[in-house]
Amino acid sequence: MTVTKGQSGREDADDGGRLPGDGTDAVDDGYVPSRRRLDRERHKRVRARRATAVAALSTLATAVVLYLIVVSAPGWPRTKETFFNGQYAREAFPKVLEGLWLNVRLLLVCGVAVLVLGMLIAVARTLRGPVFFPLRALAAAYTDFFRGLPLIINLMIVVLGVPALRLQGVTVDPVLLGGTALTLTYSAYVAEVFRAGIESVHPSQRAAARSLGLTNRQTLRHVVLPQAVRRQVPPLLNDLVSLQKDTGLVSIGGAVDAVRAADIIVGRSLNYTPYIVAGLVFVALTIPMTRCTDWVTARMDRQRAQGGAI
């Protein structure tokens, strides 16, 4: 439908609040919203407050119903005494926090090692030319083996089996051996994430870089890898979240982390509240990382939808 100049002017006046050349420009250069726009914004605020109130009331009602169902269950008193005992929770909390510091250190050290080793394996799998076939085959065999091997078995082999060899110069520290096992397993997963990112870069990017005089190494370092890493940030963060949780498995070798600290109290008291405390501590540590992952994913999706830089 064709809109005449007069009709367009009236619509602009309704939405914008003033017409060009109507004498108000000389008075105020700022934007003056129209009454219609103010009414729309007021209506949106009312709807948002109403939706928030309804959501809060429904959440409160659901919580009350669930609470009544749980506390009225036949086995609730025994369950509360076994898993939610306040005395054992207060006793376990400081010791679990002290052990959690070991899990955090493992996450930081193993996270860096996993990223570096995973990147090297991914680059090895994407090397071109027949001369690199043995390297590509070894990298593929590594990723296939450690992705298929359960992490708990890998930990048992490394943490429990390596000290049994009694090799001179080889550490028997369960923390170091557990960190090694975690690095071996997670580097295989991260390598596949990096490889997927490298292969997602269009071949024209390599061709353009080569036409500018860059070598294969310079093209990989300055053109391909930066794009690949940016595209794979969400799955990399997901792997780090999983690594943070699995650091608790090093306790099978006797390392006193958060899980082992809770297990010591459980073994002495035969009350399982410390396990709940340790689990809640891990959840509290994981939730910020998960929300960060969701935020990064949503941000990259918005950029992709708007045609921005990935």
Side-chain angles (χ1 to χ4, degrees):
M1 179 180 66
T2 303
V3 180
T4 62
K5 182 176 181 181
Q7 292 173 336
S8 176
R10 285 192 297 273
E11 291 180 358
D12 292 338
D14 290 337
D15 289 336
R18 55 184 172 83
L19 289 169
D22 62 355
T24 60
D25 292 342
V27 178
D28 185 9
D29 292 335
Y31 171 72
V32 179
S34 65
R35 180 178 301 175
R36 180 183 300 178
R37 175 161 295 183
L38 291 175
D39 292 339
R40 285 200 301 263
E41 293 177 354
R42 188 181 302 108
H43 179 66
K44 290 180 179 178
R45 289 194 297 269
V46 171
R47 288 186 60 185
R49 287 195 294 266
R50 185 184 299 115
T52 302
V54 171
L57 289 176
S58 63
T59 302
L60 179 61
T62 303
V64 170
V65 171
L66 291 176
Y67 174 78
L68 293 176
I69 292 175
V70 170
V71 298
S72 61
W76 169 245
R78 183 61 178 171
T79 302
K80 180 181 178 181
E81 177 65 23
T82 304
F83 291 99
F84 303 99
N85 188 294
Q87 175 185 351
Y88 290 111
R90 289 189 295 271
E91 178 184 354
F93 185 69
K95 297 180 180 179
V96 168
L97 282 184
E98 183 179 354
L100 184 67
W101 175 234
L102 175 60
N103 297 103
V104 173
R105 285 181 292 168
L106 274 174
L107 172 64
L108 296 177
V109 176
C110 293
V112 174
V114 163
L115 292 176
V116 173
L117 184 57
M119 175 65 74
L120 294 176
I121 297 171
V123 171
R125 291 202 64 181
T126 57
L127 291 176
R128 301 181 178 183
V131 69
F132 295 113
F133 175 77
L135 193 58
R136 291 196 301 267
L138 288 175
Y142 178 92
T143 55
D144 291 342
F145 179 78
F146 282 104
R147 288 176 70 196
L149 182 68
L151 176 59
I152 188 67
I153 294 180
N154 187 15
L155 282 163
M156 289 180 176
I157 293 174
V158 176
V159 177
L160 304 179
V162 171
L165 298 175
R166 298 182 180 179
L167 299 175
Q168 186 176 3
V170 177
T171 182
V172 295
D173 188 348
V175 176
L176 296 178
L177 293 176
T180 301
L182 290 172
T183 302
L184 291 174
T185 296
Y186 272 91
S187 60
Y189 289 101
V190 171
E192 285 300 285
V193 173
F194 279 133
R195 186 174 72 91
I198 292 173
E199 293 181 349
S200 69
V201 178
H202 198 273
S204 62
Q205 298 290 315
R206 290 179 179 269
R210 294 288 289 151
S211 67
L212 293 175
L214 274 67
T215 63
N216 285 326
R217 181 179 179 181
Q218 291 173 332
T219 299
L220 182 65
R221 177 183 177 184
H222 298 290
V223 178
V224 177
L225 289 183
Q227 298 183 62
V229 171
R230 284 198 300 269
R231 295 179 182 184
Q232 300 302 317
V233 167
L236 287 174
L237 290 176
N238 283 327
D239 285 337
L240 290 180
V241 170
S242 299
L243 175 62
Q244 184 269 322
K245 294 183 295 183
D246 287 339
T247 55
L249 295 176
V250 299
S251 60
I252 65 174
V256 184
D257 67 332
V259 178
R260 183 60 178 167
D263 188 59
I264 292 174
I265 301 176
V266 170
R268 174 172 47 82
S269 64
L270 297 180
N271 187 280
Y272 297 94
T273 302
Y275 285 152
I276 302 297
V277 174
L280 292 177
V281 168
F282 273 100
V283 170
L285 186 62
T286 303
I287 286 178
M289 298 177 64
T290 306
R291 295 286 77 82
C292 177
T293 302
D294 295 340
W295 177 80
V296 171
T297 303
R299 181 173 178 270
M300 296 183 69
D301 289 342
R302 288 195 301 268
Q303 289 180 344
R304 188 179 296 109
Q306 296 171 1
I310 304 298

